[in-house]
Amino acid sequence: MSDAEKPGPDLRTRLVDVGVDLVALEGAGALTLREIARRAGVSHGAPRRYFPTHLELLSAIARRGFTELAVRVTTALGDGTAAPRAQLAELGRTYLDFALDNPGMYELMFRHDLLESGHLRLRDTSLPLFGVLVDLVGRVRGPESSPSEARAVAAALWANLHGIAQLWGWGSLQLATGTNDFTPLLHTALTAHLGPEDGR
């Protein structure tokens, strides 16, 4: 075993770092154990000391994506004193920017098998962000909206944002709308799910 392959936190971190770089450069399909090991300069069996399955390594890489997205959202929302509707617009813009800036990572983060597997508690990383969305939707809709209604509207809005991100990334929406700015689509999605803006 070479020094580079000796067990320790540095190798584990390096493997994830390599995976993050690789998904940014070549997309989620390039994330094989063998390729990550090769780029990390270790034998193809070395990753299994930390990640017994391919799914666990992919989950660790996806977790980095959720962490970065959460940091971006927290920064965008600032001190939280803006009106809930304005905060939702910022959250939506941040989400779409992240998806379009990081298509490979975005694809990896929302792979159903990773979220369902329970590896590295990936749901614990992804669900708090949805909780922020639910809270803001509930505040916009007001006390007449039940928690279950706020959750359903938040889920529908998230699905809408996800669809915009996917179709924009493919170039389909630019062709359909004749614009290179997704802002009108974002505001239309907010209006569709929340009603006309009234200052809340």
Side-chain angles (χ1 to χ4, degrees), residues 74-103:
T74 299
T75 301
L77 297 184
D79 61 8
T81 57
R85 179 80 172 235
Q87 290 185 66
L88 275 172
E90 280 303 309
L91 189 155
R93 176 175 294 283
T94 301
Y95 183 88
L96 292 173
D97 281 340
F98 177 87
L100 298 171
D101 290 346
N102 305 276

Side-chain angles (χ1 to χ4, degrees), residues 28 55 58-59 62 66 105-119 122-123 126 158 162 166:
L55 209 57
L58 294 181
S59 294
F66 279 114
M105 179 63 83
Y106 183 71
E107 176 189 345
L108 181 68
M109 286 163 59
F110 292 103
R111 273 185 43 177
H112 181 73
D113 58 336
L114 297 184
L115 291 169
E116 284 297 308
S117 71
H119 288 307
L122 196 55
R123 280 190 177 280
S126 61
W158 174 36
H162 193 84
Q166 291 280 54

Side-chain angles (χ1 to χ4, degrees), residues 36-76:
I36 291 171
R38 185 185 74 76
R39 292 188 183 220
V42 297
S43 71
H44 67 268
R48 295 197 182 276
R49 295 191 185 98
Y50 297 97
F51 306 102
T53 68
H54 188 209
L55 209 57
E56 289 183 62
L57 179 52
L58 294 181
S59 294
I61 296 166
R63 188 180 184 97
R64 287 274 190 92
F66 279 114
T67 299
E68 182 185 342
L69 178 56
V71 168
R72 287 195 190 193
V73 167
T74 299
T75 301

Side-chain angles (χ1 to χ4, degrees), residues 154-176:
L157 176 57
W158 174 36
N160 202 163
L161 292 174
H162 193 84
I164 292 172
Q166 291 280 54
L167 292 170
W168 198 268
W170 294 334
S172 304
L173 285 175
Q174 295 91 318
L175 185 64

